[in-house]
Amino acid sequence: MEKEFLTVGELASLMGTTVRTLQYYDQEGLLKPTAKSEGGRRLYSSKDVVKLHQILSFKYLGFSLEEIRNRLFTLDTPQEVAAALEQQKRAIQEEIANLQEALQAVHKLQAEVLAGQEVNFTSYAEIIEFLKTGNQGYWVWTHMKEPLREHIRERFGNDAEAGLKIYEAYQEMLEEAVILKRSGETADSLKSQELAGRWWNMILEFTGGDLNLLPQMADFNKAKENWNNEMAEKQKEVDEFMNAALSCYLEGAFGEDLEKHMNRTDEA
């Protein structure tokens, strides 16, 4: 003969949960026992078993206990329940996408950790911040030397979006430079000079006008074996073209003194 009531321990064992969980559900008013023994023990009926099954099922689907108590148990039609499930489906899909991004970030960080020469948790944290923002240019940071990194921290530490915009602008201008070079544009043509002007403004924006950073940027440019492969190949292709275009632009815009400064920087 089936028992009329189950103790809290028996119900926990039957439903694969814990006594502490059932006690918490009772305290929160989510699942009150139908009766209590003379000694004050919680006693649960078959209806309580059904309700607990519902609670655990919705909890498995990702609903919070508050949603289950205040929302799901108050729905009156299949359409209302289906609408609630549709919202939960979207939330789960978004969580899956976030987990996929996190997994990709773990793979990328793992590669960077193995490529490093020493354990550096500060660097790891900075790379993770890049990855969290979806910034695919994080590889630039990993291969920059500390003086440039310090500059980036000071200039863009509180405005990562500005740094990202500069990187995106560089990508776009690099594509333009490739097209101009392949189409046979000369370094002093109007199109080339317009691009050189924007390129120079990008450099000034990045450096904050500190031209002492140019030698370090030149060193970074030379170390293309550390770059993203596709971008490295494109930059190699346009290096000579853009150097000539920038020289023409700087000579025309600022005169010979700045061009001499740039030449000294290239030699350094």
Side-chain angles (χ1 to χ4, degrees), residues 60-114:
Y60 170 77
L61 294 177
F63 289 99
S64 69
L65 295 181
E66 184 175 355
E67 287 175 320
I68 295 171
R69 177 180 57 235
N70 298 330
R71 182 181 176 196
L72 290 172
F73 283 168
T74 63
L75 300 179
D76 297 323
T77 68
Q79 289 75 20
E80 289 175 334
V81 175
L85 291 172
E86 177 63 26
Q87 287 186 333
Q88 189 64 11
K89 182 177 73 174
R90 291 188 189 133
I92 292 172
Q93 288 172 336
E94 183 177 346
E95 185 175 353
I96 290 172
N98 291 337
L99 288 173
Q100 288 288 352
E101 290 181 4
L103 180 60
Q104 291 175 6
V106 168
H107 285 311
K108 290 175 181 177
L109 180 59
Q110 183 182 37
E112 298 297 342
V113 169
L114 292 175

Side-chain angles (χ1 to χ4, degrees), residues 220-244:
F220 175 75
N221 184 44
K222 291 175 184 177
K224 294 186 182 68
E225 67 276 4
N226 295 327
W227 286 31
N228 170 289
N229 289 335
E230 182 180 1
M231 192 170 291
E233 291 304 313
K234 289 178 180 178
Q235 185 63 54
K236 286 179 186 177
E237 182 178 349
V238 303
D239 266 344
E240 185 176 347
F241 170 76
M242 283 308 304
N243 284 339

Side-chain angles (χ1 to χ4, degrees), residues 55-56 89 105 110 113 131 134 136 148 152-153 160 162 164 184 201 223 226 245 248 262:
I55 293 170
L56 296 177
K89 182 177 73 174
Q110 183 182 37
V113 169
L131 296 173
Q136 296 305 308
L148 273 181
I152 292 173
R153 290 189 193 101
L164 180 58
N201 287 334
N226 295 327
C248 288
M262 290 295 296

Side-chain angles (χ1 to χ4, degrees), residues 1-7 10 44-46:
M1 182 178 176
E2 191 174 305
K3 290 182 64 174
E4 183 180 1
F5 292 108
L6 296 174
T7 65
E10 291 171 333
Y44 294 88
S45 67
S46 58

